[in-house]
Amino acid sequence: MAVGVLLRYDITWIGRRSHRATPTIRDRWELVMAIEQELPRGASRPASLAGRITEATSTGKTRQQGLGLRDEIPKVGLPEYWYPVIADKDVPAKRAVRRKALGEDIAFFRGAHGQVAAITNWCPHRNASMGDGKSLFPGTLSCPYHGLTFDETGAAVAFLGEGSGSKFCNRPSNAARSFPTRTLKGLVFVWMGAGKPAPIEEDVPPEFFDESAQIMFSEQRWKANWRVSLENLQDAHVFFVHRTSLEVLMQDTNGLNLLLHMGPDRPPTRVVNGRALVFENPRFFDFVDSNQERKTHIEPVEFQDTYPQLGNAKFPRTRTRLYLARAFGFLRRHLRPKADWLVDEIEWAQGVHMPTMYRLDYQTHIYTRAVTPIDEENCAVFYYKTMYPRSKGRRIWNRINYRIYYDWKQHRNFSGQDKRIVEEVNYENPKERFSSSDAFPLAWRRMVIDYAREPQK
Ligand code: FES
Ligand SMILES: [Fe+2]
């Protein structure tokens, strides 16, 4: 039998009755997916995970199913997409700058019209680093070694070391690979595919094409594989990991209860246009403003849970946070302006969008986290905050607020907690055991495997 292996993910049902007398959402059967052993390569691909979870939830029977998903997703990212790679302001006028995305080393420089252009970092002559090159002539980049000079299409147009009589230039075989780029709202997006570039509107949020939208963004580096950072979503970590974050400390009672009491189940999801994974009720998480009419109704729940096997200990251990939430709820109701949904298209609503975005419509602003894989161990995490200011003054204030408060609160304080955990996850360990609250990350794997774009001619 072939030595190559795929992992087998076995689903085991573990029935567990809650200690509570009154049935609640937690009394449902709990799904645990255990990954146990190896299967020969060529084993048939499992049927839809979402379908299987639904089926299992309705029957509650013990069953074994093969899953094999994680290792079908490329370690350095899905190439046939547009990705954010560098801020426009970080590309100087007269020299190149080097970045890495999806395992490719890229040299960025200014093209003939001042726009950011991108070619491979490795000079086709003898592989010097073009990122150390200079733009000696407008719209070109010269290699620092022998002076081979490229235009923004990657064509070698001059060989300064050999002189104007050089026969090396203007041959397609000596051209550098160029990467199509598009700069939107100060951020440079790069087409990383081998095939014909897809319409950029399919891969970049609609706000980037909207004149009235103000987008502020920042970048972080995570020492983690991109897949781990995409799976850090909509599972049971949110309240637990972020319970000390300023964001959670400032929630109102509804927000706090929803974060804390999602329980072992997750709402059903669906894939939209083969590009986005959203909840069937995409406004499920409407807890931000407690006085909104269209707000999802949240049943009042006991704030603290009791754990019999911990000697009836309670978690959260004190009620302090609840009192804080009441105070913040009061402040929010009285101080915050009424807000409404900002995203109309379901494809771009709350959820994950291909290739690597996570989106959340906070009604006051739109949150997007976009991950660009660097290599197998690193990724660049871009955060976008979109707002629709009505005046110039408001636009300036938004920027100040972002720089001195929001960027820290949301991306360092809150997401910094994710970063610390995610960077230490041992993702290469072939064993994983899933609970039912992991349905979203698993549905994400399924979407990637089923829908990731293939190269187009
Ligand atoms: S290596 Fe670039 S010109 Fe020689
Ligand atoms: Fe998180």
Side-chain angles (χ1 to χ4, degrees), residues 23-62:
T24 71
I25 195 165
R26 289 167 184 240
D27 291 326
R28 293 184 197 168
W29 294 88
E30 190 171 312
L31 172 66
V32 175
M33 281 160 269
I35 300 145
E36 300 284 349
Q37 35 179 299
E38 298 173 342
L39 258 192
R41 191 183 289 281
S44 65
R45 188 180 272 192
S48 156
L49 176 68
R52 241 178 301 129
I53 287 177
T54 312
E55 183 194 356
T57 307
S58 58
T59 61
K61 287 191 187 130
T62 300

XYZ file of all heavy atoms in Angstrom, residues 23-62:
305
model
N -34.211 22.474 30.587
C -33.341 22.333 29.416
C -32.939 23.697 28.853
O -33.752 24.612 28.799
C -34.229 21.588 28.408
C -35.449 21.174 29.130
C -35.558 21.994 30.355
N -31.721 23.859 28.487
C -31.236 25.085 27.849
C -30.452 24.668 26.632
O -30.324 23.480 26.338
C -30.287 25.884 28.766
O -29.083 25.154 28.858
C -30.871 26.119 30.142
N -29.888 25.639 25.975
C -29.082 25.363 24.772
C -27.935 24.400 25.097
O -27.476 23.617 24.282
C -28.558 26.686 24.193
C -28.044 26.481 22.778
C -27.494 27.317 25.062
C -27.850 27.770 22.019
N -27.470 24.411 26.340
C -26.354 23.552 26.720
C -26.749 22.101 26.902
O -25.901 21.244 27.082
C -25.737 24.056 28.022
C -25.004 25.343 27.807
C -24.677 25.986 29.094
N -24.068 27.259 28.763
C -22.851 27.613 29.118
N -22.113 26.807 29.843
N -22.366 28.755 28.779
N -28.060 21.807 26.919
C -28.473 20.428 27.117
C -28.415 19.619 25.835
O -28.708 18.436 25.825
C -29.901 20.383 27.668
C -29.930 20.907 29.087
O -28.946 20.692 29.803
O -30.916 21.551 29.458
N -28.104 20.282 24.743
C -28.010 19.520 23.498
C -26.824 18.576 23.552
O -25.884 18.773 24.300
C -27.848 20.472 22.321
C -29.092 21.292 22.136
C -28.938 22.137 20.924
N -29.917 23.199 20.961
C -29.890 24.228 20.160
N -28.942 24.350 19.282
N -30.819 25.145 20.235
N -26.892 17.604 22.639
C -25.775 16.655 22.584
C -24.521 17.364 22.139
O -24.554 18.264 21.326
C -26.121 15.528 21.620
C -27.253 14.717 22.120
C -28.578 14.948 21.914
C -27.166 13.575 22.951
N -29.331 14.028 22.553
C -28.502 13.148 23.203
C -26.119 12.849 23.518
C -28.796 12.048 23.981
C -26.418 11.754 24.280
C -27.735 11.368 24.525
N -23.457 16.927 22.689
C -22.193 17.580 22.361
C -21.428 16.755 21.332
O -21.284 15.546 21.453
C -21.367 17.707 23.627
C -20.163 18.585 23.436
C -19.490 18.872 24.752
O -20.200 19.244 25.701
O -18.284 18.671 24.821
N -20.951 17.449 20.296
C -20.214 16.764 19.233
C -18.719 16.886 19.463
O -18.204 17.961 19.673
C -20.581 17.424 17.896
C -19.774 16.990 16.669
C -20.048 15.545 16.341
C -20.123 17.888 15.502
N -18.065 15.777 19.460
C -16.615 15.818 19.576
C -16.027 15.110 18.372
O -16.362 13.973 18.083
C -16.129 15.110 20.858
C -14.608 15.053 20.886
C -16.637 15.841 22.073
N -15.207 15.812 17.631
C -14.572 15.201 16.469
C -13.132 14.874 16.817
O -12.376 15.766 17.170
C -14.641 16.146 15.284
C -15.998 16.112 14.647
S -16.286 17.566 13.678
C -17.054 18.603 14.900
N -12.813 13.648 16.775
C -11.470 13.248 17.169
C -10.687 12.796 15.943
O -11.198 12.089 15.088
C -11.569 12.104 18.158
N -9.464 13.261 15.880
C -8.624 12.834 14.770
C -7.717 11.747 15.294
O -6.963 11.975 16.205
C -7.791 14.000 14.279
C -8.751 15.064 13.823
C -6.873 13.603 13.170
C -8.225 16.382 14.117
N -7.803 10.597 14.728
C -7.138 9.472 15.356
C -5.923 8.964 14.584
O -4.847 8.874 15.104
C -8.115 8.309 15.528
C -9.320 8.670 16.404
C -8.978 8.710 17.871
O -7.881 8.265 18.211
O -9.799 9.181 18.659
N -6.103 8.571 13.373
C -5.008 7.860 12.742
C -4.871 8.142 11.265
O -5.462 9.081 10.758
C -5.192 6.369 12.991
C -6.671 5.981 12.991
C -6.865 4.530 13.209
O -6.378 3.774 12.399
N -7.559 4.119 14.254
N -4.099 7.356 10.617
C -3.752 7.646 9.238
C -4.523 6.787 8.255
O -4.855 5.651 8.532
C -2.262 7.384 9.048
C -1.415 8.281 9.921
C 0.040 7.893 9.852
O 0.333 6.769 9.422
O 0.877 8.727 10.221
N -4.770 7.339 7.102
C -5.458 6.627 6.035
C -4.573 6.615 4.798
O -3.822 7.549 4.585
C -6.711 7.410 5.647
C -8.072 6.973 6.127
C -9.107 7.752 5.328
C -8.303 5.505 5.905
N -4.664 5.606 3.984
C -3.884 5.616 2.745
C -4.309 6.769 1.846
O -5.470 7.155 1.839
C -4.235 4.286 2.082
C -4.981 3.504 3.087
C -5.475 4.422 4.147
N -3.331 7.305 1.081
C -3.657 8.353 0.110
C -4.669 7.811 -0.895
O -4.649 6.650 -1.229
C -2.380 8.765 -0.637
C -2.553 10.005 -1.464
C -1.288 10.308 -2.221
N -0.228 10.763 -1.326
C -0.149 11.997 -0.844
N -1.074 12.877 -1.156
N 0.832 12.344 -0.068
N -5.556 8.698 -1.336
C -6.552 8.254 -2.295
C -7.871 7.887 -1.636
O -8.835 7.560 -2.308
N -7.907 7.922 -0.315
C -9.172 7.660 0.357
C -10.162 8.728 -0.087
O -9.794 9.865 -0.324
C -8.968 7.732 1.858
N -11.424 8.350 -0.223
C -12.377 9.294 -0.810
C -12.596 10.487 0.108
O -12.572 10.380 1.316
C -13.693 8.594 -1.095
O -14.252 8.212 0.122
N -12.813 11.620 -0.515
C -13.000 12.876 0.208
C -14.356 12.832 0.921
O -15.338 12.373 0.360
C -12.966 14.010 -0.814
C -12.966 15.358 -0.194
C -12.923 16.395 -1.266
N -11.561 16.712 -1.627
C -11.239 17.752 -2.383
N -12.174 18.528 -2.867
N -9.998 18.003 -2.666
N -14.399 13.304 2.149
C -15.661 13.224 2.878
C -16.735 14.125 2.281
O -16.426 15.110 1.620
C -15.286 13.710 4.265
C -14.055 14.521 4.081
C -13.340 13.933 2.923
N -17.981 13.768 2.564
C -19.099 14.607 2.109
C -19.111 15.894 2.926
O -18.309 16.072 3.823
C -20.401 13.853 2.300
N -20.018 16.769 2.598
C -20.067 18.077 3.243
C -20.084 17.993 4.761
O -20.903 17.311 5.353
C -21.312 18.819 2.769
O -21.684 19.764 3.717
N -19.176 18.713 5.359
C -19.075 18.703 6.815
C -20.314 19.313 7.442
O -20.875 18.798 8.395
C -17.844 19.491 7.241
C -17.672 19.629 8.748
C -17.349 18.286 9.350
C -16.598 20.633 9.067
N -20.750 20.434 6.839
C -21.924 21.112 7.388
C -23.108 20.155 7.413
O -23.831 20.045 8.393
C -22.244 22.334 6.553
N -23.280 19.402 6.325
C -24.373 18.441 6.240
C -24.254 17.392 7.318
O -25.232 17.009 7.947
N -23.027 16.958 7.534
C -22.831 15.912 8.532
C -23.121 16.393 9.940
O -23.680 15.709 10.748
C -21.413 15.377 8.437
C -21.409 13.914 8.097
C -20.025 13.398 7.957
N -19.326 14.130 6.928
C -18.146 14.667 7.132
N -17.564 14.572 8.287
N -17.548 15.284 6.160
N -22.731 17.636 10.210
C -22.983 18.172 11.545
C -24.483 18.302 11.783
O -24.997 17.918 12.815
C -22.269 19.529 11.734
C -20.776 19.271 11.869
C -22.785 20.248 12.971
C -19.941 20.506 11.978
N -25.190 18.770 10.764
C -26.640 18.919 10.901
C -27.266 17.557 11.155
O -28.085 17.383 12.045
C -27.238 19.526 9.607
O -26.458 20.643 9.267
C -28.669 19.916 9.801
N -26.852 16.596 10.366
C -27.426 15.256 10.500
C -27.158 14.709 11.910
O -28.056 14.206 12.578
C -26.774 14.349 9.458
C -27.330 12.950 9.439
C -26.419 12.016 8.627
O -25.433 12.510 8.041
O -26.701 10.841 8.630
N -25.926 14.879 12.346
C -25.560 14.351 13.650
C -26.338 15.049 14.759
O -26.796 14.422 15.697
C -24.071 14.538 13.864
N -26.543 16.362 14.626
C -27.249 17.095 15.661
C -28.680 16.594 15.799
O -29.218 16.498 16.885
C -27.266 18.605 15.324
O -25.935 18.992 15.083
C -27.817 19.423 16.451
N -29.289 16.247 14.658
C -30.683 15.838 14.756
C -30.850 14.405 15.243
O -31.897 14.044 15.742
C -31.374 16.032 13.406
O -30.670 15.275 12.456
N -29.861 13.568 15.099
C -30.050 12.187 15.535
C -29.394 11.911 16.880
O -29.926 11.167 17.685
C -29.454 11.202 14.516
O -28.052 11.473 14.438
C -30.078 11.349 13.150
N -28.277 12.522 17.123
C -27.606 12.307 18.397
C -27.024 10.916 18.556
O -26.729 10.477 19.653
N -26.845 10.198 17.459
C -26.313 8.837 17.559
C -24.792 8.836 17.450
O -24.206 9.731 16.863
C -26.884 7.993 16.425
C -28.339 7.653 16.649
C -28.777 6.596 15.649
C -30.284 6.386 15.751
N -30.929 6.442 14.460
N -24.203 7.784 17.978
C -22.765 7.644 17.843
C -22.431 7.235 16.420
O -23.053 6.360 15.854
C -22.261 6.545 18.798
O -22.612 6.944 20.096
C -20.770 6.372 18.696
